[in-house]
Amino acid sequence: MKQRKIDDSQLLEMFRQGKMQKEIADYFGCSPVAVCKRLKRLLPPVESVLDKYDFTEKQKKFVLEKARGKTATQAVIASYEVSSMHSAKVMGSHLMAKPEIQMALKELIDYHLPQHYRIRKLRTHVDNVDPAISLKALDMSWKLDGSYAPEKHLVANINYADLCKKKEELKRAIAEYKAQYPEETTEEEEKVED
């Protein structure tokens, strides 16, 4: 029997370390196509990752479409029969809010596109000579590592009548306090009140 050139356990380990298929092929002395075919046989199909979840067929298709890079709205349109773009958008945000959908997506991405592979791929775009591609890749990298501070918006909705009412309540409370404890009131406090 002919001995296989590629050691499966070593191949999977190199793949999970983020080695490129060409590097793996050079290591084993075979073609990148052979490595690709062997990986397809060794890695479980994407659908099998979803089997442990209690998803309907349409939910499975939605997760797969989303994992392929579609927006939630596009994934709904490809997976469900929807009557309008608005209903697809609402349904997409509803599905993406489900924790089990999020976990399945994360598992799919982590298993078939390990983080180190994504980082290496992103780096090639950051180093691109086209500034539009380079800047977009940098922006994406900063979003991924949390470099951007969360946006904070201060909304002040002040009702003038309520403000005047609070001011009067405060003045009454100060007057009551002074009546109860006249010895604690100083001249400076009296000036501040005016």
Side-chain angles (χ1 to χ4, degrees):
M1 184 180 211
K2 185 179 173 185
Q3 188 175 357
R4 186 177 290 141
K5 282 185 179 181
I6 301 174
D7 177 15
D8 292 344
S9 59
Q10 198 170 8
L11 170 66
L12 287 172
E13 182 60 32
M14 291 174 81
F15 175 72
R16 292 212 166 76
Q17 289 173 356
K19 304 277 189 216
M20 302 302 271
Q21 289 183 9
K22 183 170 180 3
E23 292 176 73
I24 298 171
D26 290 343
Y27 177 82
F28 287 116
C30 62
S31 71
V33 173
V35 170
C36 182
K37 285 181 180 178
R38 193 72 201 138
L39 278 172
K40 282 184 180 179
R41 287 193 187 112
L42 292 173
L43 294 174
V46 174
E47 292 80 6
S48 68
V49 174
L50 300 177
D51 288 341
K52 69 180 178 182
Y53 295 97
D54 190 26
F55 289 153
T56 64
E57 288 304 312
K58 290 180 179 183
Q59 286 174 326
K60 284 182 184 179
K61 188 167 183 188
F62 171 81
V63 171
L64 290 172
E65 294 295 327
K66 187 75 178 98
R68 288 185 181 115
K70 291 186 177 178
T71 66
T73 306
Q74 292 168 338
V76 166
I77 290 169
S79 309
Y80 292 87
E81 294 177 19
V82 288
S83 58
S84 68
M85 185 67 86
H86 176 70
S87 61
K89 187 175 183 179
V90 170
M91 190 175 204
S93 65
H94 175 71
L95 285 167
M96 286 305 296
K98 292 184 174 187
E100 60 272 9
I101 297 274
Q102 293 174 7
M103 286 176 13
L105 269 170
K106 183 175 178 359
E107 191 173 339
L108 276 176
I109 291 169
D110 287 346
Y111 190 79
H112 290 283
L113 284 172
Q115 185 178 22
H116 51 269
Y117 174 80
R118 287 179 276 159
I119 290 170
R120 184 179 294 164
K121 189 71 173 170
L122 187 58
R123 183 175 180 183
T124 62
H125 293 298
V126 169
D127 294 336
N128 196 304
V129 294
D130 182 357
I133 294 171
S134 179
L135 291 173
K136 179 74 175 170
L138 277 173
D139 178 55
M140 188 174 287
S141 71
W142 292 329
K143 285 178 185 173
L144 289 172
D145 77 354
S147 292
Y148 288 130
E151 291 183 19
K152 295 180 182 176
H153 301 281
L154 179 63
V155 177
N157 188 5
I158 300 172
N159 185 337
Y160 184 72
D162 288 342
L163 192 60
C164 290
K165 191 189 294 185
K166 292 287 182 190
K167 183 179 176 185
E168 291 304 316
E169 288 173 10
L170 186 57
K171 280 184 178 180
R172 275 196 301 275
I174 291 171
E176 288 173 12
Y177 180 80
K178 284 182 182 179
Q180 245 181 345
Y181 306 102
E183 66 279 350
E184 292 183 19
T185 307
T186 64
E187 289 178 20
E188 290 177 10
E189 288 176 353
E190 289 174 6
K191 287 179 187 175
V192 171
E193 288 175 21
D194 297 331

